[in-house]
Amino acid sequence: MSSTTKYIFVTGGVTSSLGKGIVSASLAKLLQSRGFSVTIQKLDPYINVDPGTLNPYEHGECYVTEDGAETDLDLGHYERFLDVQTSQDNNVTTGRIYQSVINKERKGDYLGKTVQVIPHITNEIKDHIKQLGEKNIYDVVITEIGGTVGDIESLPFIEAIRQLHWELPKDVLFIHLTLIPYLATSGELKTKPTQHSVKTLLEYGIQPDILVCRTEHHLTEDLRKKIALFCNVEQKAVIESIDASTIYEVPLLMQEEGLDEVVCEQLNLKKSEKPALKKWKEFLFNHSHPEKEIKIGLIGKYVELKDSYISIAESLIHAGAKNKCKVNIEWIHSSKLEDEKCNEVLKGLNGILVAPGFGSRGIEGKINAVNYARESNIPFLGICLGMQCAVIEIARNVIQLNGAHTTEIDENNPFPVISKIEEQKQIENMGGTMRLGAYECEIKSDSLLSSIYQKDLIKERHRHRFEFNNDFINQFNEKGIVFSGINPKNNLVETIEIPSHRWFVGVQFHPEYKSTVINPHPLFVNFVNAAIDFSKEKIELISETQHS
Ligand code: GLN
C-alpha cells in the first residue's frame, strides 16, 4: 500500500462504444497482478440518480453490487476482471451529484452562497472521486468518465478531473481512448479524428498522458510517431488496441503493448516483475480450446439488445471454460413462445434459461418455456422472474391452481403464488426501492443446491419486489417440489427445485452478478455440466436408434 493513492482517469474520444470499460478493467487487472490494490469507478453524465429506473433498451443491464447499489453494467466487467467487489461509491451519476448538492443547499450548508457548477458541482464530483482513495485501501483508483469528450453533459466531470490534476499533479494520470478509423477505399488508417479529440481535451485544459487507440489494423511505427508528435505524448505512450476475439484477451494485448509499464513509469509506481497472469491464461486457453459444444436457450424479452443480459452471458462463458465447453447461446424472444410453435422453437436445446425481467410482455411465453423444460426433462435454470414463472407454471399445471399468477401482472388472480410482502406494499417510489443487494440464504442438506454450493449458508444478490407466497408452501411440498434455499431472517423462499427432474432450479436471486473469470459461479458451472450430460445422452439415444 503506497502512502498516496494514484488516480487514473480514462476518457473517450471520437465515438462512444470504444470499450472504455474493458480497457479500464484490463489496466486494473494488470496493475492488480503487479501487486497493487486497485478499484475502478464509473462516472455517468446522465441525470437519473442511478440506472435502476432505466429500461434495458436504454442502457443495457443494471448491475447490482453486494451493498445493493443499482449500477452501470461496466461495474460488472470490473468485478469479473478483478474478482474484487465494488459498491455504490464505484458508480456516480450527474443526478446523484446534483441530488446531493441540492440536499446540502436545502439544509443551508452553503451559508448563503450562490450554488454554482463551479465550484459546488465540481467539488462534489472531486469528493466522490477522492472518497475511494480516502478509504486508504487502494493504491490506484481508475475512474472511467462516461460519454465522449465534447459532450455538453460531461463537461463538469472533465473540469473536475482537470482541477484534481492541478491539485495533485504527481498522482494523476490521463488516458484517452480514441478510434483510428480505417478507410477501406484508400487502405489507410486515419489519425485526424484522434488529433481533433485531443485538441478538444486540450481546450478543456487536459493534456492526455497516454493514448489508447482502437483500431482494426495494426499501427505502424510511423503512424505511432505521427500520433505522438501531433498529440504531444511519448511514442511509447501510444498504445494500440486492436479488435480482440474476446474481451478477456484485452489485458494480454494491453500487456504486450506495455500499457501497465508506461502507467507505472509515469505515476512513479514501483513496479514488480511483468506479471505471469497464469490463471487468466488458463481460462483463456480453456475458452479458446473447447472439447465439446452445447446450445442454451436464453429466454427473455430484451434479447435484441444482448447487453441487457450481459452478466448472464458472461457467466455462461466462465462456466463454459470451466467445463472446457463452448456454450452457444440461442437468444429467444419470449413473445415467440406464446403459441403452439413454442415447442418447435425450443426443440434441440441442451438447456433452458429463463431470464429476469419485469412486466407482462412475453410472460406467457416464459411460462410455456418452463412447461417445456419441465415436461421434457431438459436442464432448466430460472433466474428471478424466471423462477417466478417456474412457480406459476407448477401451480397451474402440477397443482391445478387454474389462473395462478404473480400479482405483478394480475393483481386479482385467484391464486397469487407470487406476491408482494407487506414491507413492499407500502412503497410508492420506483427508484432504489426493490429488495436489493446481498441477502443470506440457508441451503437444505441433501438438495441439489447443497451439492452445487457445498455450503449450508450462502449470500447472493437480489433485485425484485415480488416473492414466493408462503401461503402455498404445503401445496408445492405435497407435489414433491423442494424449497432448497430459505432466507433465515424472514423465511422467504429463495430457491426451488424438482428432485425428480434431471436438473431443475429456480433462484429468486441473481447468481450472474457474482461469477468472475477466476471464480466462475457454481450454479452456472453445474447447469452447463448438466446440459453437457444431457447433450451426450441425446447423442447416445440417436446412435442407439440408428443401430437398432
Ligand atoms: N419483476 C419481478 C419482481 O420484481 C422479477 C424481477 C427480476 O427478474 N429481476 O419481483
Side-chain angles (χ1 to χ4, degrees):
M1 173 56 226
S2 64
S3 53
T4 52
T5 301
K6 305 288 186 185
Y7 296 94
I8 300 175
F9 295 101
V10 181
T11 54
V14 182
T15 158
S16 58
S17 305
L18 289 182
K20 280 194 299 272
I22 301 298
V23 167
S24 303
S26 300
L27 171 61
K29 182 81 225 164
L30 294 175
L31 294 175
Q32 183 194 51
S33 359
R34 283 186 185 267
F36 299 109
S37 85
V38 190
T39 192
I40 322 181
Q41 178 186 48
K42 173 96 190 265
L43 303 182
D44 274 313
Y46 51 74
I47 315 281
N48 304 64
V49 172
D50 61 43
T53 50
L54 286 173
N55 183 318
Y57 286 127
E58 292 281 319
H59 209 65
E61 170 188 280
C62 171
Y63 183 79
V64 178
T65 55
E66 201 74 359
D67 64 346
E70 296 179 281
T71 70
D72 185 79
L73 61 80
D74 271 335
L75 271 80
H77 290 310
Y78 307 161
E79 290 204 8
R80 287 188 282 273
F81 274 58
L82 294 184
D83 199 35
V84 172
Q85 287 176 357
T86 54
S87 71
Q88 178 65 74
D89 294 342
N90 295 73
N91 192 196
V92 181
T93 68
T94 294
R96 184 170 297 275
I97 297 287
Y98 272 80
Q99 188 183 47
S100 155
V101 168
I102 291 169
N103 286 344
K104 286 183 190 164
E105 187 274 335
R106 291 289 83 185
K107 274 192 1 219
D109 287 1
Y110 297 116
L111 305 172
K113 286 275 182 211
T114 310
V115 180
Q116 295 181 294
V117 172
I118 303 170
H120 301 97
I121 295 294
T122 46
N123 282 350
E124 191 70 29
I125 295 172
K126 285 191 286 181
D127 288 349
H128 274 83
I129 296 169
K130 286 194 286 191
Q131 211 167 13
L132 282 171
E134 280 155 8
K135 285 186 176 173
N136 275 334
I137 43 178
Y138 301 116
D139 302 311
V140 182
V141 175
I142 300 179
T143 302
E144 179 194 343
I145 316 284
T148 309
V149 163
D151 294 347
I152 292 173
E153 53 180 17
S154 58
L155 280 178
F157 290 116
I158 302 286
E159 168 59 14
I161 65 175
R162 182 197 68 77
Q163 290 180 13
L164 257 179
H165 177 251
W166 182 79
E167 285 166 28
L168 307 163
K170 290 201 171 69
D171 299 325
V172 167
L173 188 84
F174 294 119
I175 299 181
H176 190 53
L177 177 62
T178 86
L179 176 71
I180 309 288
Y182 177 72
L183 288 192
T185 39
S186 59
E188 274 178 308
L189 286 167
K190 291 298 196 185
T191 66
K192 195 70 85 188
T194 296
Q195 296 177 39
H196 281 298
S197 175
V198 169
K199 284 218 172 77
T200 308
L201 263 183
L202 284 168
E203 275 173 33
Y204 300 146
I206 291 178
Q207 164 65 57
D209 302 292
I210 296 172
L211 294 174
V212 176
C213 305
R214 274 300 297 274
T215 172
E216 290 168 43
H217 298 273
H218 288 293
L219 304 182
T220 60
E221 277 312 295
D222 277 354
L223 208 84
R224 289 174 194 251
K225 207 180 202 163
K226 184 174 170 189
I227 297 170
L229 176 68
F230 284 107
C231 300
N232 206 19
V233 298
E234 281 182 274
Q235 192 171 327
K236 64 178 175 197
V238 177
I239 306 289
E240 168 191 287
S241 173
I242 194 126
D243 292 353
S245 58
T246 148
I247 52 170
Y248 299 115
E249 212 184 304
V250 179
L252 302 183
L253 294 174
M254 291 297 102
Q255 188 181 44
E256 271 167 37
E257 281 287 302
L259 175 63
D260 53 329
E261 289 268 336
V262 181
V263 165
C264 288
E265 247 173 61
Q266 297 206 4
L267 279 175
N268 224 350
L269 284 165
K270 238 180 93 217
K271 52 177 197 264
S272 57
E273 294 272 287
K274 182 175 160 186
L277 295 164
K278 199 166 154 275
K279 282 191 179 162
W280 194 271
K281 286 181 183 159
E282 243 168 59
F283 158 82
L284 265 181
F285 181 84
N286 290 337
H287 175 63
S288 52
H289 296 81
E291 292 163 5
K292 44 212 172 267
E293 211 167 313
I294 54 163
K295 206 159 47 167
I296 301 286
L298 196 155
I299 325 290
K301 70 166 179 177
Y302 308 109
V303 289
E304 308 88 330
L305 185 71
K306 311 223 166 7
D307 269 1
S308 310
Y309 303 106
I310 190 159
S311 291
I312 294 179
E314 297 305 322
S315 302
L316 287 170
I317 289 177
H318 307 156
K322 184 81 185 173
N323 281 293
K324 299 201 164 134
C325 172
K326 179 163 196 262
V327 180
N328 298 303
I329 300 180
E330 194 125 319
W331 303 84
I332 302 172
H333 202 294
S334 46
S335 58
K336 280 208 188 124
L337 305 175
E338 293 195 316
D339 54 26
E340 55 301 338
K341 284 200 244 52
C342 168
N343 295 6
E344 208 41 49
V345 178
L346 298 177
K347 217 171 64 192
L349 295 172
N350 308 119
I352 292 180
L353 192 158
V354 177
F358 296 84
S360 60
R361 189 165 63 102
I363 190 143
E364 290 302 323
K366 289 186 172 181
I367 297 169
N368 287 345
V370 178
N371 179 261
Y372 180 78
R374 185 177 59 75
E375 290 189 342
S376 316
N377 208 12
I378 299 175
F380 168 82
L381 176 58
I383 300 179
C384 208
L385 182 64
M387 169 206 155
Q388 297 175 357
C389 288
V391 167
I392 297 166
E393 195 280 324
I394 294 167
R396 288 183 189 173
N397 302 318
V398 179
I399 317 179
Q400 306 302 334
L401 301 175
N402 285 340
H405 220 319
T406 159
T407 54
E408 178 178 5
I409 314 291
D410 180 0
E411 207 160 347
N412 301 313
N413 84 80
F415 303 109
V417 284
I418 303 290
S419 63
K420 272 187 192 168
I421 52 168
E422 275 316 308
E423 223 173 279
Q424 275 289 338
K425 285 187 189 155
Q426 320 304 329
I427 295 170
E428 282 176 6
N429 273 0
M430 289 296 276
T433 55
M434 286 188 249
R435 181 146 82 103
L436 289 166
Y439 286 87
E440 282 187 342
C441 168
E442 233 165 46
I443 298 184
K444 284 212 172 88
S445 52
D446 294 338
S447 60
L448 173 57
L449 214 68
S450 143
S451 72
I452 292 172
Y453 278 93
Q454 305 273 326
K455 277 182 191 167
D456 44 26
L457 190 68
I458 55 164
K459 244 179 149 184
E460 291 282 7
R461 301 182 197 171
H462 292 247
R463 182 173 188 252
H464 55 101
R465 284 181 218 286
F466 296 83
E467 310 279 352
F468 177 79
N469 180 346
N470 278 345
D471 292 348
F472 292 90
I473 222 159
N474 290 338
Q475 280 162 282
F476 278 76
N477 282 337
E478 278 161 21
K479 294 289 179 190
I481 309 301
V482 170
F483 297 103
S484 49
I486 303 285
N487 180 321
K489 296 244 159 59
N490 50 19
N491 246 1
L492 288 173
V493 163
E494 307 287 31
T495 72
I496 68 163
E497 48 186 88
I498 307 180
S500 57
H501 189 282
R502 128 193 354 265
W503 204 100
F504 189 105
V505 177
V507 290
Q508 186 58 81
F509 49 73
H510 291 261
E512 71 273 22
Y513 294 143
K514 282 179 99 160
S515 184
T516 71
V517 167
I518 303 302
N519 279 309
H521 196 290
L523 207 49
F524 284 94
V525 173
N526 211 270
F527 174 56
V528 166
N529 191 258
I532 295 169
D533 286 347
F534 179 51
S535 73
K536 282 189 200 147
E537 259 179 53
K538 276 207 324 202
I539 291 167
E540 277 165 23
L541 205 76
I542 293 168
S543 59
E544 265 172 38
T545 43
Q546 276 169 353
H547 287 103
S548 61

PDB file of all heavy atoms in Angstrom, residues 109-128:
ATOM      1  N   ASP A 109     -26.247  24.266   4.048  1.00  0.00           N
ATOM      2  CA  ASP A 109     -24.809  24.011   4.197  1.00  0.00           C
ATOM      3  C   ASP A 109     -23.928  25.016   3.460  1.00  0.00           C
ATOM      4  O   ASP A 109     -22.740  25.127   3.745  1.00  0.00           O
ATOM      5  CB  ASP A 109     -24.451  22.608   3.681  1.00  0.00           C
ATOM      6  CG  ASP A 109     -24.933  21.520   4.617  1.00  0.00           C
ATOM      7  OD1 ASP A 109     -25.552  21.862   5.648  1.00  0.00           O
ATOM      8  OD2 ASP A 109     -24.699  20.335   4.313  1.00  0.00           O
ATOM      9  N   TYR A 110     -24.471  25.721   2.458  1.00  0.00           N
ATOM     10  CA  TYR A 110     -23.609  26.617   1.682  1.00  0.00           C
ATOM     11  C   TYR A 110     -23.609  28.052   2.219  1.00  0.00           C
ATOM     12  O   TYR A 110     -23.086  28.972   1.570  1.00  0.00           O
ATOM     13  CB  TYR A 110     -23.998  26.571   0.193  1.00  0.00           C
ATOM     14  CG  TYR A 110     -23.789  25.199  -0.429  1.00  0.00           C
ATOM     15  CD1 TYR A 110     -24.858  24.454  -0.904  1.00  0.00           C
ATOM     16  CD2 TYR A 110     -22.517  24.651  -0.506  1.00  0.00           C
ATOM     17  CE1 TYR A 110     -24.669  23.194  -1.461  1.00  0.00           C
ATOM     18  CE2 TYR A 110     -22.313  23.391  -1.061  1.00  0.00           C
ATOM     19  CZ  TYR A 110     -23.396  22.662  -1.531  1.00  0.00           C
ATOM     20  OH  TYR A 110     -23.197  21.421  -2.074  1.00  0.00           O
ATOM     21  N   LEU A 111     -24.211  28.234   3.370  1.00  0.00           N
ATOM     22  CA  LEU A 111     -24.126  29.501   4.115  1.00  0.00           C
ATOM     23  C   LEU A 111     -24.417  30.742   3.265  1.00  0.00           C
ATOM     24  O   LEU A 111     -23.638  31.698   3.241  1.00  0.00           O
ATOM     25  CB  LEU A 111     -22.726  29.643   4.743  1.00  0.00           C
ATOM     26  CG  LEU A 111     -22.278  28.483   5.627  1.00  0.00           C
ATOM     27  CD1 LEU A 111     -20.819  28.652   6.034  1.00  0.00           C
ATOM     28  CD2 LEU A 111     -23.168  28.351   6.869  1.00  0.00           C
ATOM     29  N   GLY A 112     -25.500  30.702   2.521  1.00  0.00           N
ATOM     30  CA  GLY A 112     -25.921  31.893   1.791  1.00  0.00           C
ATOM     31  C   GLY A 112     -25.224  32.119   0.466  1.00  0.00           C
ATOM     32  O   GLY A 112     -25.494  33.107  -0.228  1.00  0.00           O
ATOM     33  N   LYS A 113     -24.293  31.256   0.101  1.00  0.00           N
ATOM     34  CA  LYS A 113     -23.584  31.422  -1.183  1.00  0.00           C
ATOM     35  C   LYS A 113     -24.482  31.055  -2.364  1.00  0.00           C
ATOM     36  O   LYS A 113     -25.395  30.228  -2.215  1.00  0.00           O
ATOM     37  CB  LYS A 113     -22.366  30.480  -1.223  1.00  0.00           C
ATOM     38  CG  LYS A 113     -21.221  30.923  -0.367  1.00  0.00           C
ATOM     39  CD  LYS A 113     -20.386  31.907  -1.144  1.00  0.00           C
ATOM     40  CE  LYS A 113     -19.175  32.353  -0.344  1.00  0.00           C
ATOM     41  NZ  LYS A 113     -18.795  33.734  -0.703  1.00  0.00           N
ATOM     42  N   THR A 114     -24.186  31.612  -3.553  1.00  0.00           N
ATOM     43  CA  THR A 114     -24.859  31.166  -4.773  1.00  0.00           C
ATOM     44  C   THR A 114     -24.284  29.801  -5.121  1.00  0.00           C
ATOM     45  O   THR A 114     -23.053  29.648  -5.204  1.00  0.00           O
ATOM     46  CB  THR A 114     -24.548  32.138  -5.930  1.00  0.00           C
ATOM     47  OG1 THR A 114     -24.809  33.453  -5.468  1.00  0.00           O
ATOM     48  CG2 THR A 114     -25.363  31.836  -7.159  1.00  0.00           C
ATOM     49  N   VAL A 115     -25.139  28.817  -5.312  1.00  0.00           N
ATOM     50  CA  VAL A 115     -24.630  27.470  -5.609  1.00  0.00           C
ATOM     51  C   VAL A 115     -24.453  27.338  -7.118  1.00  0.00           C
ATOM     52  O   VAL A 115     -25.389  27.579  -7.889  1.00  0.00           O
ATOM     53  CB  VAL A 115     -25.587  26.393  -5.049  1.00  0.00           C
ATOM     54  CG1 VAL A 115     -25.052  24.998  -5.356  1.00  0.00           C
ATOM     55  CG2 VAL A 115     -25.754  26.577  -3.544  1.00  0.00           C
ATOM     56  N   GLN A 116     -23.227  26.992  -7.544  1.00  0.00           N
ATOM     57  CA  GLN A 116     -22.890  27.005  -8.977  1.00  0.00           C
ATOM     58  C   GLN A 116     -22.190  25.717  -9.417  1.00  0.00           C
ATOM     59  O   GLN A 116     -21.712  24.948  -8.576  1.00  0.00           O
ATOM     60  CB  GLN A 116     -21.960  28.190  -9.240  1.00  0.00           C
ATOM     61  CG  GLN A 116     -22.662  29.519  -8.989  1.00  0.00           C
ATOM     62  CD  GLN A 116     -21.746  30.679  -9.279  1.00  0.00           C
ATOM     63  OE1 GLN A 116     -20.747  30.872  -8.592  1.00  0.00           O
ATOM     64  NE2 GLN A 116     -22.099  31.469 -10.290  1.00  0.00           N
ATOM     65  N   VAL A 117     -22.155  25.527 -10.744  1.00  0.00           N
ATOM     66  CA  VAL A 117     -21.483  24.315 -11.257  1.00  0.00           C
ATOM     67  C   VAL A 117     -20.035  24.303 -10.779  1.00  0.00           C
ATOM     68  O   VAL A 117     -19.529  23.283 -10.290  1.00  0.00           O
ATOM     69  CB  VAL A 117     -21.574  24.263 -12.806  1.00  0.00           C
ATOM     70  CG1 VAL A 117     -20.721  23.125 -13.352  1.00  0.00           C
ATOM     71  CG2 VAL A 117     -23.023  24.080 -13.241  1.00  0.00           C
ATOM     72  N   ILE A 118     -19.351  25.460 -10.951  1.00  0.00           N
ATOM     73  CA  ILE A 118     -18.019  25.601 -10.366  1.00  0.00           C
ATOM     74  C   ILE A 118     -18.138  26.628  -9.252  1.00  0.00           C
ATOM     75  O   ILE A 118     -18.590  27.742  -9.530  1.00  0.00           O
ATOM     76  CB  ILE A 118     -16.990  26.080 -11.409  1.00  0.00           C
ATOM     77  CG1 ILE A 118     -16.967  25.101 -12.577  1.00  0.00           C
ATOM     78  CG2 ILE A 118     -15.598  26.201 -10.795  1.00  0.00           C
ATOM     79  CD1 ILE A 118     -16.177  25.591 -13.773  1.00  0.00           C
ATOM     80  N   PRO A 119     -17.857  26.358  -8.023  1.00  0.00           N
ATOM     81  CA  PRO A 119     -17.125  25.184  -7.534  1.00  0.00           C
ATOM     82  C   PRO A 119     -18.001  24.068  -6.955  1.00  0.00           C
ATOM     83  O   PRO A 119     -17.482  22.996  -6.666  1.00  0.00           O
ATOM     84  CB  PRO A 119     -16.299  25.778  -6.390  1.00  0.00           C
ATOM     85  CG  PRO A 119     -17.221  26.803  -5.784  1.00  0.00           C
ATOM     86  CD  PRO A 119     -17.994  27.375  -6.945  1.00  0.00           C
ATOM     87  N   HIS A 120     -19.325  24.294  -6.774  1.00  0.00           N
ATOM     88  CA  HIS A 120     -20.059  23.336  -5.932  1.00  0.00           C
ATOM     89  C   HIS A 120     -20.233  21.958  -6.571  1.00  0.00           C
ATOM     90  O   HIS A 120     -19.997  20.943  -5.928  1.00  0.00           O
ATOM     91  CB  HIS A 120     -21.413  23.946  -5.525  1.00  0.00           C
ATOM     92  CG  HIS A 120     -21.227  25.221  -4.772  1.00  0.00           C
ATOM     93  ND1 HIS A 120     -21.318  26.461  -5.382  1.00  0.00           N
ATOM     94  CD2 HIS A 120     -20.874  25.451  -3.490  1.00  0.00           C
ATOM     95  CE1 HIS A 120     -21.046  27.408  -4.484  1.00  0.00           C
ATOM     96  NE2 HIS A 120     -20.778  26.819  -3.328  1.00  0.00           N
ATOM     97  N   ILE A 121     -20.636  21.958  -7.853  1.00  0.00           N
ATOM     98  CA  ILE A 121     -20.807  20.654  -8.511  1.00  0.00           C
ATOM     99  C   ILE A 121     -19.445  19.979  -8.700  1.00  0.00           C
ATOM    100  O   ILE A 121     -19.275  18.789  -8.402  1.00  0.00           O
ATOM    101  CB  ILE A 121     -21.541  20.829  -9.873  1.00  0.00           C
ATOM    102  CG1 ILE A 121     -22.975  21.330  -9.633  1.00  0.00           C
ATOM    103  CG2 ILE A 121     -21.532  19.550 -10.683  1.00  0.00           C
ATOM    104  CD1 ILE A 121     -23.909  20.358  -8.911  1.00  0.00           C
ATOM    105  N   THR A 122     -18.460  20.748  -9.174  1.00  0.00           N
ATOM    106  CA  THR A 122     -17.143  20.133  -9.403  1.00  0.00           C
ATOM    107  C   THR A 122     -16.525  19.649  -8.084  1.00  0.00           C
ATOM    108  O   THR A 122     -15.880  18.602  -8.042  1.00  0.00           O
ATOM    109  CB  THR A 122     -16.190  21.103 -10.141  1.00  0.00           C
ATOM    110  OG1 THR A 122     -16.287  22.390  -9.518  1.00  0.00           O
ATOM    111  CG2 THR A 122     -16.540  21.221 -11.595  1.00  0.00           C
ATOM    112  N   ASN A 123     -16.743  20.392  -6.993  1.00  0.00           N
ATOM    113  CA  ASN A 123     -16.221  19.923  -5.695  1.00  0.00           C
ATOM    114  C   ASN A 123     -16.887  18.613  -5.284  1.00  0.00           C
ATOM    115  O   ASN A 123     -16.228  17.702  -4.779  1.00  0.00           O
ATOM    116  CB  ASN A 123     -16.477  20.957  -4.590  1.00  0.00           C
ATOM    117  CG  ASN A 123     -15.466  22.091  -4.668  1.00  0.00           C
ATOM    118  OD1 ASN A 123     -14.484  22.013  -5.412  1.00  0.00           O
ATOM    119  ND2 ASN A 123     -15.707  23.159  -3.910  1.00  0.00           N
ATOM    120  N   GLU A 124     -18.187  18.548  -5.516  1.00  0.00           N
ATOM    121  CA  GLU A 124     -18.920  17.327  -5.159  1.00  0.00           C
ATOM    122  C   GLU A 124     -18.362  16.144  -5.968  1.00  0.00           C
ATOM    123  O   GLU A 124     -18.170  15.049  -5.433  1.00  0.00           O
ATOM    124  CB  GLU A 124     -20.414  17.541  -5.466  1.00  0.00           C
ATOM    125  CG  GLU A 124     -21.340  16.495  -4.914  1.00  0.00           C
ATOM    126  CD  GLU A 124     -21.494  16.512  -3.393  1.00  0.00           C
ATOM    127  OE1 GLU A 124     -21.352  17.589  -2.784  1.00  0.00           O
ATOM    128  OE2 GLU A 124     -21.743  15.434  -2.831  1.00  0.00           O
ATOM    129  N   ILE A 125     -18.097  16.385  -7.251  1.00  0.00           N
ATOM    130  CA  ILE A 125     -17.545  15.310  -8.098  1.00  0.00           C
ATOM    131  C   ILE A 125     -16.182  14.884  -7.546  1.00  0.00           C
ATOM    132  O   ILE A 125     -15.898  13.695  -7.374  1.00  0.00           O
ATOM    133  CB  ILE A 125     -17.407  15.765  -9.577  1.00  0.00           C
ATOM    134  CG1 ILE A 125     -18.800  16.043 -10.170  1.00  0.00           C
ATOM    135  CG2 ILE A 125     -16.665  14.731 -10.403  1.00  0.00           C
ATOM    136  CD1 ILE A 125     -18.786  16.679 -11.558  1.00  0.00           C
ATOM    137  N   LYS A 126     -15.340  15.887  -7.237  1.00  0.00           N
ATOM    138  CA  LYS A 126     -13.992  15.557  -6.731  1.00  0.00           C
ATOM    139  C   LYS A 126     -14.089  14.768  -5.429  1.00  0.00           C
ATOM    140  O   LYS A 126     -13.341  13.822  -5.212  1.00  0.00           O
ATOM    141  CB  LYS A 126     -13.172  16.841  -6.518  1.00  0.00           C
ATOM    142  CG  LYS A 126     -12.686  17.446  -7.826  1.00  0.00           C
ATOM    143  CD  LYS A 126     -11.665  18.552  -7.590  1.00  0.00           C
ATOM    144  CE  LYS A 126     -12.340  19.804  -7.066  1.00  0.00           C
ATOM    145  NZ  LYS A 126     -11.386  20.904  -6.857  1.00  0.00           N
ATOM    146  N   ASP A 127     -15.044  15.167  -4.562  1.00  0.00           N
ATOM    147  CA  ASP A 127     -15.215  14.438  -3.299  1.00  0.00           C
ATOM    148  C   ASP A 127     -15.563  12.979  -3.553  1.00  0.00           C
ATOM    149  O   ASP A 127     -15.061  12.078  -2.884  1.00  0.00           O
ATOM    150  CB  ASP A 127     -16.329  15.064  -2.445  1.00  0.00           C
ATOM    151  CG  ASP A 127     -15.900  16.403  -1.860  1.00  0.00           C
ATOM    152  OD1 ASP A 127     -14.692  16.716  -1.944  1.00  0.00           O
ATOM    153  OD2 ASP A 127     -16.772  17.147  -1.356  1.00  0.00           O
ATOM    154  N   HIS A 128     -16.444  12.760  -4.527  1.00  0.00           N
ATOM    155  CA  HIS A 128     -16.833  11.376  -4.818  1.00  0.00           C
ATOM    156  C   HIS A 128     -15.663  10.574  -5.373  1.00  0.00           C
ATOM    157  O   HIS A 128     -15.545   9.380  -5.121  1.00  0.00           O
ATOM    158  CB  HIS A 128     -18.001  11.335  -5.818  1.00  0.00           C
ATOM    159  CG  HIS A 128     -19.335  11.438  -5.145  1.00  0.00           C
ATOM    160  ND1 HIS A 128     -19.906  12.637  -4.776  1.00  0.00           N
ATOM    161  CD2 HIS A 128     -20.199  10.481  -4.738  1.00  0.00           C
ATOM    162  CE1 HIS A 128     -21.076  12.408  -4.200  1.00  0.00           C
ATOM    163  NE2 HIS A 128     -21.272  11.116  -4.161  1.00  0.00           N
TER     164      HIS A 128
END
